[in-house]
Amino acid sequence: MSVPYVVTISSEKGGVGKTTLATNLAIYLKAQHEDLPVTLLSFDNHFSVDQMFRINKQRSQGDVTGLFTGAEADDLVETGQYGVQFISSSSQLHVLRRELEDPSLLACSLANSQLGGILIIDTRPDLDIYTQNALFAADRVIVPVKDAPSLENCRHLYDFFDSHGLSRRALRILPCLVDARIHYDGPFRDTYQLLKAYAINRGYRCLEGYIAKSPKVESLNTNPEGRIYPILTHGRHTEVHVQMSHVARQVYLHTLETQPLRLDEARLQTNRDQERHQSAFEARIQELKQNCLVCDRPLVKADGIEPAGYFAQSSDHKITGFVEEDCFTSLIFRYFYGAKRTIEAHDPIQDLFRESAQRSYFLLQRAPNTRNFYQQKLSFYRFDDKGLEVSHKTIELQEFEKRLLNKERSDLFPLLERTLFDEQGRLGDSFLLFRKVSSDLPEEILYDQNYEHFSAIMAKITSQLP
Ligand SMILES: Nc1ncnc2c1ncn2[C@@H]1O[C@H](COP(=O)(O)OP(=O)(O)OP(=O)(O)O)[C@@H](O)[C@H]1O
Ligand SMILES: [Mg+2]
């Protein structure tokens, strides 16, 4: 497997020359190293990359959003002009943006690719989730700055690196759009010297050199053909041509000395995380009570877990297990919703309850301030999806109930004996929290992310209880 070395071009400031740098850097790198695979993609929605590199009018399958939705990076790549490969830009980034939270998705997706060589990523002037993903995957981040405000904004990039445990050494400032006509008195003679001094003063490292502001370069975007021309072919006589060559050489030299590559590290990290998730999950499975906490039917078997309705855990974590759907519903209806009749499995009221229960948490606990009462009282709470109380009801616990002429043991007792009762058969201080699970895969709730969510809700509920 050969992952690419990743260069991300990023700056929160708009119009500082990111796209011009990203697209031309790809061309210079390819021109300097014919055999080096160079791939380019952009999370901007201006389609400059597509305009500049697409050879055929026909679009390839997929675009950059595929990198977040399970497509293989290698399948998205199109061969473009000047020998540069590219992945189509997308006008739909805003749709996916709302759903994405994890900055490591792109790194995971690219870590499985065979792209090799160098991948250049152009970003939007915004530290949105796409930019975060591009930063997370990068061996080198080039930050174009053109003035003092754009340099101030760099702080957010450094903060992002710090907060994600990434090495700041990947970041390099590059003064861009430097107007050579401006001169100052004093030690910093021009904009380049001044920006460089500002950067060094803040502890930011710079690439060597800068990119000058050039009317010729600016004009390469605007012409009757509606094309974007490269500096290499159409701006050879500008100083920017020399400056771009120098930037490309520095990038190439860094590829030679970078070992391991960021994506190799990301892959190792992903593997380690997966192993950690798997062993945490297996440990939770080991802790499970084997049988339904109400009827005692075996649910946890060697080859998996039988369909179950609810996951239950006590707040002291001593009891973790499952309860069958019908056991839970009939118990709740009989004791807390005042059902006069037995609720059968096919009863429409079951379906209604099952539907709404998916957005609820249920809790059983000794009623508040009844620790030393002779007559035990049990409270039942219902909370919404966010862990906010919806309703509650308290009942007196009676072990034997009168049903017609016979005494019958309350169904609550076997459950409480297995969970909340102490050795004397008295309710302790902990509570039992229930959450509906998918009947196909009840153990899903024990996967790290779901389990963390359940635990967070349990903590929130704990803080609200009287
Ligand atoms: N070296 C240069 N000299 C003169 N003009 C330049 C130079 N580099 C870029 N430009 C021009 O500056 C404008 C902004 O450049 P570019 O689109 O590359 O910036 P950007 O940072 O990608 O912008 P955005 O943040 O909007 O994506 C463009 O009109 C471009 O042609
Ligand atoms: Mg741009």
Side-chain angles (χ1 to χ4, degrees):
M1 193 162 296
S2 113
V3 294
Y5 165 100
V6 178
V7 188
T8 293
I9 314 294
S10 174
S11 150
E12 277 189 281
K13 187 89 176 157
V16 292
K18 290 184 290 295
T19 305
T20 308
L21 177 63
T23 49
N24 284 286
L25 179 61
I27 295 169
Y28 276 89
L29 281 165
K30 190 67 195 172
Q32 288 170 2
H33 309 278
E34 218 178 320
D35 297 333
L36 180 75
V38 177
T39 312
L40 177 66
L41 65 92
S42 174
F43 291 126
D44 210 337
N45 48 8
H46 292 320
F47 290 88
S48 311
V49 168
D50 309 58
Q51 246 181 300
M52 204 162 166
F53 292 93
R54 176 155 291 127
I55 297 174
N56 305 316
K57 285 274 173 282
Q58 213 176 346
R59 288 192 50 139
S60 65
Q61 293 277 318
D63 57 41
V64 290
T65 55
L67 296 167
F68 299 90
T69 54
E72 299 276 335
D74 305 72
D75 295 342
L76 299 172
V77 168
E78 215 176 301
T79 307
Q81 297 271 18
Y82 324 108
V84 171
Q85 316 185 103
F86 70 100
I87 299 182
S88 296
S89 306
S90 168
S91 57
Q92 297 301 308
L93 290 167
H94 62 284
V95 179
L96 201 57
R97 184 178 286 120
R98 279 176 243 129
E99 293 165 29
L100 298 177
E101 283 176 7
D102 182 355
S104 69
L105 289 172
L106 179 67
C108 291
S109 153
L110 292 172
N112 295 317
S113 79
Q114 300 277 1
L115 290 177
I118 298 189
L119 170 67
I120 300 170
I121 308 181
D122 179 34
T123 59
R124 270 165 47 86
D126 186 347
L127 236 174
D128 72 356
I129 189 66
Y130 297 107
T131 305
Q132 292 180 28
N133 269 273
L135 294 173
F136 197 89
D139 292 282
R140 173 62 86 225
V141 178
I142 303 180
V143 191
V145 297
K146 67 169 187 184
D147 48 23
S150 55
L151 197 64
E152 281 306 326
N153 278 340
C154 295
R155 193 164 42 82
H156 301 137
L157 292 180
Y158 280 83
D159 289 348
F160 176 84
F161 266 65
D162 292 347
S163 63
H164 289 81
L166 303 170
S167 165
R168 285 179 162 214
R169 294 172 69 86
L171 290 149
R172 289 290 185 280
I173 307 285
L174 180 65
C176 280
L177 291 163
V178 171
D179 193 334
R181 291 167 306 181
I182 299 174
H183 291 282
Y184 308 110
D185 294 333
F188 309 118
R189 295 181 306 280
D190 49 39
T191 317
Y192 164 56
Q193 298 286 348
L194 193 61
L195 285 175
K196 197 165 171 172
Y198 273 162
I200 292 170
N201 204 14
R202 285 166 176 71
Y204 303 159
R205 290 165 190 242
C206 300
L207 279 186
E208 276 176 29
Y210 64 95
I211 304 290
K213 186 177 170 79
S214 144
K216 176 69 190 170
V217 169
E218 192 166 15
S219 74
L220 300 179
N221 279 355
T222 315
N223 49 66
E225 300 85 55
R227 302 221 16 214
I228 304 175
Y229 291 116
I231 299 166
L232 182 68
T233 52
H234 288 67
R236 270 192 104 81
H237 303 296
T238 63
E239 57 180 327
V240 178
H241 166 61
V242 180
Q243 293 160 345
M244 277 300 311
S245 308
H246 188 44
V247 169
R249 264 195 303 277
Q250 291 179 68
V251 169
Y252 182 71
L253 286 178
H254 190 240
T255 67
L256 301 182
E257 66 193 42
T258 306
Q259 206 47 255
L261 292 177
R262 177 74 192 112
L263 293 179
D264 283 324
E265 275 177 1
R267 187 175 44 234
L268 280 178
Q269 186 61 42
T270 311
N271 292 347
R272 278 197 295 268
D273 287 350
Q274 272 170 358
E275 278 168 25
R276 203 164 34 81
H277 290 318
Q278 184 61 25
S279 58
F281 170 71
E282 280 164 14
R284 285 179 204 123
I285 293 272
Q286 292 299 321
E287 294 287 305
L288 285 174
K289 295 283 169 206
Q290 308 284 299
N291 299 351
C292 169
L293 296 171
V294 175
C295 73
D296 211 25
R297 194 171 76 84
L299 292 179
V300 180
K301 305 210 166 139
D303 56 349
I305 298 177
E306 295 277 293
Y310 292 82
F311 171 71
Q313 188 171 56
S314 61
S315 53
D316 59 7
H317 288 214
K318 286 191 179 144
I319 307 292
T320 313
F322 290 98
V323 176
E324 289 202 76
E325 177 89 47
D326 295 346
C327 291
F328 184 80
T329 321
S330 58
L331 203 76
I332 296 308
F333 271 79
R334 182 152 154 206
Y335 294 102
F336 301 102
Y337 290 165
K340 296 279 183 291
R341 58 191 169 89
T342 312
I343 306 293
E344 303 289 348
H346 56 266
D347 197 310
I349 211 162
Q350 267 261 33
D351 289 337
L352 266 179
F353 179 71
R354 192 181 297 136
E355 220 284 304
S356 68
Q358 285 172 0
R359 297 180 296 277
S360 302
Y361 289 81
F362 303 93
L363 184 146
L364 289 176
Q365 187 193 30
R366 187 188 63 227
N369 309 318
T370 58
R371 179 192 291 274
N372 297 319
F373 278 31
Y374 173 71
Q375 179 64 51
Q376 301 203 70
K377 292 187 176 195
L378 183 68
S379 290
F380 166 78
Y381 294 80
R382 185 168 184 166
F383 296 88
D384 70 8
D385 221 10
K386 306 233 160 15
L388 297 173
E389 187 182 323
V390 177
S391 61
H392 77 265
K393 181 171 182 182
T394 296
I395 59 161
E396 288 195 351
L397 261 189
Q398 283 167 342
E399 183 164 8
F400 292 99
E401 301 162 11
K402 279 224 173 64
R403 303 224 114 205
L404 296 173
L405 294 175
N406 299 325
K407 268 187 160 183
E408 191 180 291
R409 196 162 190 236
S410 159
D411 286 344
L412 277 170
F413 267 70
L415 170 68
L416 295 175
E417 274 164 355
R418 293 186 188 106
T419 55
L420 298 183
F421 278 163
D422 59 19
E423 271 126 43
Q424 285 76 45
R426 313 253 340 143
L427 289 165
D429 288 331
S430 46
F431 61 76
L432 196 60
L433 188 64
F434 297 86
R435 174 67 163 166
K436 182 115 185 60
V437 287
S438 111
S439 56
D440 302 342
L441 203 59
E443 61 267 45
E444 218 172 23
I445 195 159
L446 300 171
Y447 295 161
D448 271 11
Q449 218 184 349
N450 299 337
Y451 186 74
E452 275 162 25
H453 185 69
F454 178 86
S455 303
I457 295 284
M458 186 184 258
K460 185 168 176 182
I461 287 174
T462 307
S463 68
Q464 288 171 63
L465 289 172

